[in-house]
Amino acid sequence: MKPKNVVIKAEPITVHISPFGFFHYGKEFFDAAKGFKQSAYYSPAPYFLYCRSIELVLKAFLLGKGVPKKDLPKRNLYWHDLEKILKKAKDLGLSKFVKITPDQEKEISKANKYYPSKGFEYFEVIKAVNAYPELPDLLFLENVASELVTHLESFCLNAN
């Protein structure tokens, strides 16, 4: 499928990433998480991969709904804050495409205690010693990412 809404200018070079690009990367993070071999020990990898998938697919939706790309990395707006991104997506009609349950939102909130601060990327001794308190349920994160990838694909691929 040919991507839409990609603009490249030569002086200076400007690239406008479309919802397609964000969605594509989000799906790749989801696929990587699905291929992760879970062990008996805690690993931050699948948590990070599912959260990144959720973030990117929701941001693809925001772009498709007209949110400017320049607003996405702003700390006071969206940044890597899954709760803020989800809230804006819901305000823009996410529920017409996919329903996020209260239990799923609760797990996203738990993930948000780790994800924006790089808690799934950098080793933190205090959290490790305390057995990573309040970790989100990995199955819920997987389900949210799966539903977003499945139900937003057509919208994101066809957004202008």
Side-chain angles (χ1 to χ4, degrees):
M1 183 170 285
K2 188 174 180 180
K4 294 181 179 182
N5 200 24
V6 176
V7 176
I8 300 176
K9 295 180 181 179
E11 278 183 27
I13 294 176
T14 303
V15 179
H16 294 281
I17 309 269
S18 68
F20 170 82
F22 273 70
F23 179 85
H24 177 71
Y25 280 10
K27 186 174 184 317
E28 286 189 348
F29 277 99
F30 174 74
D31 291 341
K34 291 289 291 173
F36 185 80
K37 302 292 185 230
Q38 188 71 350
S39 71
Y41 302 101
Y42 166 78
S43 172
Y47 291 91
F48 171 77
L49 294 169
Y50 284 128
C51 287
R52 183 54 55 98
S53 176
I54 291 166
E55 175 189 359
L56 292 174
V57 173
L58 285 174
K59 283 182 173 180
F61 179 78
L62 297 185
L63 286 169
K65 288 293 190 169
V67 172
K69 180 184 170 277
K70 66 179 177 56
D71 288 350
L72 298 181
K74 292 181 179 177
R75 283 183 184 257
N76 63 328
L77 291 176
Y78 309 109
W79 189 49
H80 301 295
D81 189 317
L82 299 176
E83 291 174 298
K84 287 181 181 179
I85 298 165
L86 177 60
K87 181 185 181 319
K88 183 64 174 181
K90 288 171 62 178
D91 290 347
L92 293 174
L94 179 68
S95 64
K96 293 176 185 168
F97 299 89
V98 61
K99 305 281 191 243
I100 304 297
T101 69
D103 287 338
Q104 289 171 325
E105 280 196 53
K106 180 181 170 188
E107 297 307 313
I108 289 171
S109 292
K110 286 182 182 180
N112 214 47
K113 293 176 183 169
Y114 287 87
Y115 181 70
S117 63
K118 306 289 186 185
F120 294 132
E121 294 173 66
Y122 300 131
F123 182 76
E124 296 183 36
V125 174
I126 301 299
K127 287 183 180 173
V129 168
N130 289 304
Y132 294 95
E134 295 190 68
L135 272 178
D137 183 299
L138 194 57
L139 185 58
F140 274 90
L141 293 181
E142 177 184 348
N143 288 338
V144 170
S146 177
E147 289 180 28
L148 291 172
V149 165
T150 300
H151 297 292
L152 293 179
E153 182 172 22
S154 180
F155 171 81
C156 293
L157 296 181
N158 294 304
N160 293 320

